Amino acid sequence: MAVGVDFGTLSGRAVVVRVSDGAELACAAHTYRHGVITDRLPGTDIDLEPETALQSPEDYREVLRTAVPEALRASGASPEQVVGIGTDFTACTVLPVTADGTPLCELPGQARRPHAWPKLWRHHAAQPEADEINALAAERGEKWLARYGGRVSSEWQFAKALQVLRDDPEVYRRTDRWIEAADWIVWQLCGRETRNVATAGYKGLHQDGAWPSEDFLAALDPGFSDFVRKIDHPLSQLGERAGGLTAEAAAWTGLPEGLPVAVGNIDAHVTAAAARTTGPGRMLAIMGTSTCHVMNSDVRAEVPGMCGLVLGGITPGAWGYEAGQSGVGDIFGWFADNYVPPAYHDEARAQGTGLHELLSAKAAVAPVGAHGLVALDWHSGNRSVLVDHDLSGVLAGMTLATRPEEVYRALVEATAFGTRTVVEAFSASGVPVRDLTVGGGMVRNPFVLQVYADVLNRPLRVVASEHGCAVGAAVHAAVAAGAHPDIHTASAAMGRVREETVDPDPVRAAAYEELYALYRELHDHFGRGGSRSLHRLRALRNAALAGGGTEKGDR
């Protein structure tokens, strides 16, 4: 048996998986008590600036204390039958820690400082710093910039750290190690710091064996010149053994002390092993609150708007590509939670179904384009292919007759159009997408999958497990423990996809061509310089929330 633990945006889950064939024996989940911290620091009266998204490290430890023992008990397996444990994390979720790995927010007197807390991947308040990094890198012709589609994201390590330096120099000074949560949780398990090649490459700008130069960092800000010292560490390949479970972590999890712990990994990337997409040209879209697109290739190319190109970033020896969308399930949830009339909630309860299922059923019966709507899926900014988190969502075509299910469908379609934009960018750059597999929470919604198949006009393979990230972590644990010789072999044995594909309907696929053309027209108008109105609205909002342009309102 192997244990995989997936740390998501709102919760963590653990699975116990049979090493021989990937059968899932049990799963347990734990919801983070603090969730996503966006408005006020826990236990304080300190308000947070717009676009802030923080988390509590104690919530992560609670997953180890609760979900892992519960899954183990439910599996019926004894701890001695487990050969290894692997983890994955959202990224870039990053935190400042001391030399021994203690989060700064847990030090005396530091809990009231927002920048001492972990910054979740969707913390976008560092957009000004990202813009500064992009401008300077382009001006200087930094070679690494092309590996990120020409633009660094505000979600990544350097922009977030530069924001800390600018906003709270004392926290920056006290930060001995600036570390991805993917590596920090492994540190908690095995008692030693490791750094994985994936987060270093995709989120830390590490390319061709080097970080951005000290000269570049000093040009950004003289106080930033030492930043690489806070992140530099020998990099471990995915699937390697990070160490053995400490006595403390063994007590948390109920697993044996010394159990092999796999090197940390990113949630979407680790899922490639569970989805059997470790071969070249096999794109995997992990669709949950956001979507991450990952794919191995034997071709190295510069794809505009990609989130990164890293050798060994998905499996050792292959070029791993990443792209993504910052909002998908989050957008559907936002609309359902805030803008659907009470009558729909009553109808869903009367039918014994969920609100999303009701909206999906109502939306599915209409012909393509009957709602007269087109949306832009930028409610959390645009990750790919524009890499601009100052953009925001758009809904065009509403009338007094527009119904909630029509808006819901337009939002689903917008996210599918966003994925098609990503696929086309790869293909146009000489990196062909041979097939597409989807995983994550959205696989539970047949309507969403069908819209994607129709918009993309290609069959979709579907990961068999709803817990693909956790299963992928278990696959890596099996490799780290020596139960399989490499990730490809382990993926073939333990990965699972549904036998049936979700196939496009030719009539709907043809009808979507015109709607997609309208999406691209709005996409380029608002996102490529036709209008700066979305950026101006964001600036106005931030200034108003900050008190009429004082302090952070000028950022």
Side-chain angles (χ1 to χ4, degrees), residues 96-110:
V97 301
T98 63
D100 66 359
T102 303
L104 260 62
C105 64
E106 296 180 351
L107 295 178
Q110 298 301 301

Side-chain angles (χ1 to χ4, degrees), residues 1 3 15-17 24-27 68-79 81-82:
M1 315 298 173
V3 172
V15 296
V16 179
V17 179
E24 295 175 44
L25 304 182
C27 176
V68 174
E70 183 179 338
L72 190 61
R73 284 192 298 270
S75 73
S78 68
Q81 291 177 285
V82 177

Side-chain angles (χ1 to χ4, degrees), residues 201-216:
Y202 292 109
K203 314 304 177 184
L205 311 183
H206 188 272
Q207 293 288 345
D208 298 324
W211 307 97
S213 68
E214 184 174 325
D215 180 59
F216 173 78

Side-chain angles (χ1 to χ4, degrees), residues 389-469:
H389 291 288
D390 276 343
L391 292 170
S392 50
V394 172
L395 180 63
M398 286 189 294
T399 72
L400 294 177
T402 299
R403 299 186 60 78
E405 61 267 25
E406 294 175 327
V407 176
Y408 189 82
R409 177 168 181 151
L411 295 174
V412 172
E413 290 169 343
T415 65
F417 294 149
T419 286
R420 178 168 168 176
T421 302
V422 168
V423 171
E424 290 181 351
F426 274 85
S427 298
S429 300
V431 186
V433 179
R434 195 178 78 202
D435 57 46
L436 183 64
T437 301
V438 296
M442 288 297 110
V443 303
R444 294 192 292 268
N445 191 318
F447 167 68
V448 171
L449 295 182
Q450 190 61 59
V451 167
Y452 272 67
D454 294 339
V455 165
L456 291 157
N457 195 20
R458 62 166 71 208
L460 304 180
R461 301 167 70 246
V462 182
V463 178
S465 172
E466 293 183 10
H467 313 295
C469 300

Side-chain angles (χ1 to χ4, degrees), residues 374-550:
V374 64
L376 295 177
D377 52 318
W378 300 344
H379 298 63
S380 290
N382 181 283
R383 186 182 297 164
S384 297
V385 295
L386 301 173
V387 199
D388 186 348
H389 291 288
D390 276 343
L391 292 170
S392 50
V394 172
L395 180 63
M398 286 189 294
T399 72
L400 294 177
T402 299
R403 299 186 60 78
E405 61 267 25
E406 294 175 327
V407 176
Y408 189 82
R409 177 168 181 151
L411 295 174
V412 172
E413 290 169 343
T415 65
F417 294 149
T419 286
R420 178 168 168 176
T421 302
V422 168
V423 171
E424 290 181 351
F426 274 85
S427 298
S429 300
V431 186
V433 179
R434 195 178 78 202
D435 57 46
L436 183 64
T437 301
V438 296
M442 288 297 110
V443 303
R444 294 192 292 268
N445 191 318
F447 167 68
V448 171
L449 295 182
Q450 190 61 59
V451 167
Y452 272 67
D454 294 339
V455 165
L456 291 157
N457 195 20
R458 62 166 71 208
L460 304 180
R461 301 167 70 246
V462 182
V463 178
S465 172
E466 293 183 10
H467 313 295
C469 300
V471 172
V475 173
H476 279 245
V479 176
H484 290 288
D486 55 56
I487 294 172
H488 297 291
T489 304
S491 174
M494 300 175 67
R496 292 184 168 194
V497 294
R498 297 178 187 173
E499 290 187 10
E500 69 281 2
T501 57
V502 180
D503 298 320
D505 176 89
V507 174
R508 289 194 298 267
Y512 269 124
E513 290 302 313
E514 186 171 359
L515 205 56
Y516 178 62
L518 289 171
Y519 172 88
R520 287 305 302 262
E521 183 178 319
L522 292 178
H523 175 282
D524 292 348
H525 176 72
F526 286 111
R528 297 191 188 274
S531 169
R532 295 285 298 174
S533 57
L534 298 183
H535 296 88
R536 290 168 62 193
L537 285 169
R538 179 63 61 91
L540 285 170
R541 187 202 71 164
N542 289 352
L545 290 175
T550 61

Side-chain angles (χ1 to χ4, degrees), residues 45-134:
D45 58 356
I46 297 175
D47 293 329
L48 301 173
E49 69 167 306
E51 308 302 332
T52 294
L54 310 177
Q55 290 198 305
S56 167
E58 186 62 15
D59 287 342
Y60 306 149
R61 296 190 192 97
E62 278 300 305
V63 173
L64 300 177
R65 296 188 187 107
T66 59
V68 174
E70 183 179 338
L72 190 61
R73 284 192 298 270
S75 73
S78 68
E80 291 71 26
Q81 291 177 285
V82 177
V83 299
I85 182 171
T87 59
D88 70 82
F89 232 103
T90 59
C92 171
T93 296
V94 66
L95 63 158
V97 301
T98 63
D100 66 359
T102 303
L104 260 62
C105 64
E106 296 180 351
L107 295 178
Q110 298 301 301
R112 295 179 61 84
R113 306 181 87 123
H115 289 292
W117 292 71
K119 291 182 178 0
L120 182 63
W121 63 268
R122 71 183 190 198
H123 174 92
H124 295 146
Q127 186 64 49
E129 285 74 19
D131 293 340
E132 194 175 339
I133 291 170
N134 287 323

